Amino acid sequence: MTAPTTSRLTMRDEAKPFILIGAIGAGIAINRLADGALTDLEWLVQIGLFAVVFSIMAFVEITGVGRAFRKTKPTVLAVTTNFVIVPLFAWTLGWLVLRDHPDLWAGVILYTLTPCIGWYLIFIDLAKGNMSWGLAMLPIDITLQTLLLPIYLWLLIGKVIPIEPLVLVRSVTLFLLLPFAAAYLVRALLVRWRGHDFTYGPYKHAIGEVKLWALVAVVAAIFATQPTLETAALGNVALIIATITLFFIGLFAIALTVGRTFKLPYPDTAAMVFEISARNSESVIGVAAVAFVGHPLVILAILIGPIVELPVLIALTRIMLRLRNRWTWPDTPNPCSTSPSQQRGADPVTPENCRR
C-alpha cells in the first residue's frame, strides 16, 4: 500500500477490501460470460498494470536514507527482519500450510515479500509510534524490495513454480523498475516545469483519485482474461485467508519480540510493528501477471492479502495502544504508574484504561 495523504483511515481505505472483492467477482463473471474468449486482450491488461504501478510509485521518495540511520539500532533490526526473517518465515509457513497448493503458495509468498511503501504510516500515527523514523524508512524499504525481489522470486518462488529467467527479468523490469523510474522522472520534470505547488497539489490529488479505480479496473481485467477459475478452485479462498491471517499474527509476534528483546522504547517498537506488518501487494501484481500467466490463483492469493490486512492492522493498533499503557518501556514511563503531574503534556490515562 502506498503513502497516505492524511494520518487517518478514509472511507475509501475502509471500503478497499470490499471494492477489491467486487473487482475479482466482476472479472470472474466477465470471464465466464465470454467463455474465455478475452485472453487475446492480455496486452491491454499489461498497459493498465504499468499505469497502476506508476501511480503507486508517483510520490515515493528515495532520499533521506541517512535520517533512518540516525537511529541505527531500530533501522538495522527492521531491515534484517523485513528482508531476511520475513521471507524465510513466509516460505516456511507456506510449506507447512500450502505445499499441496503450489499456486496459492507462490501467491502468498509474493504478497508477503514486499513491505508497504507508506500506508503503514497511518497506523504508526494512530498507535502513537515514531512517525519521523517511519518516514525515514520509506526510501530504504522501496530500494531494498526493488533490488531483492528478483532474487526472492528466483530462490523462493522458483522452488514452488518454475520461472524462466528471461520472463523473470522482463516482468521485474517492465512492472517494477520502469514504472519507478518513469514516476520519478515525471515528478522531477513537473516540479521543474510547473512548480512544487502544482506537482504536490493538483497532480498528486489526481493520482490519488485515479489510483484505486485504475487498480480495480486492472484486477477485473486480469481475471477476465486469465484462464477460467473453476468453482472448486475458488473454494481455496478460506485457506488463503487463514494462511495470511497466520502470517500477520507471526509478523506481529516477531516485531514485538524484536522490539522487547533489544529494549526499544514504545514509539520505535510501535513503528517497527507496522513497518514490518504492512505489505505492498500492488507492486507485485504486474510481476505476477506476467511471470505466472495461466496461474490465476497466484493473483487471487496476492489480492486476498489486503482484504485481510486492513482489519488486522486496525486490531494491531488497538493492541499496541493497550500495551503502551500496561507495559513498562525503556526510556518511556508507564503511564499507569506515573503521577498526574508527570502525565502533564501526555495523553490522559484513566484507571479504566490501566485495567484493560
Side-chain angles (χ1 to χ4, degrees), residues 48-110:
L49 284 167
F50 186 96
V52 167
V53 180
F54 173 91
S55 69
I56 292 165
M57 300 292 188
F59 288 91
V60 172
E61 303 286 353
I62 58 174
T63 58
V65 173
R67 288 188 292 117
F69 282 98
R70 292 173 192 169
K71 295 181 71 67
T72 304
K73 184 163 72 170
T75 297
V76 171
L77 291 173
V79 168
T80 303
T81 304
N82 249 333
F83 296 101
V84 179
I85 296 174
V86 169
L88 293 176
F89 171 67
W91 193 91
T92 303
L93 180 63
W95 181 82
L96 289 172
V97 182
L98 300 173
R99 62 179 178 271
D100 295 330
H101 306 273
D103 284 11
L104 302 183
W105 186 6
V108 168
I109 294 175
L110 259 173

Side-chain angles (χ1 to χ4, degrees), residues 2 52-61 117 142 145-146 175-177 179-181 183-184 187 211 280 283:
T2 53
V52 167
V53 180
F54 173 91
S55 69
I56 292 165
M57 300 292 188
F59 288 91
V60 172
E61 303 286 353
I117 54 173
I142 186 59
Q145 69 179 259
T146 301
F175 298 105
L176 194 58
L177 297 178
F180 178 75
Y184 182 84
R187 187 172 72 246
K211 189 184 330 182
N280 181 23
S283 68

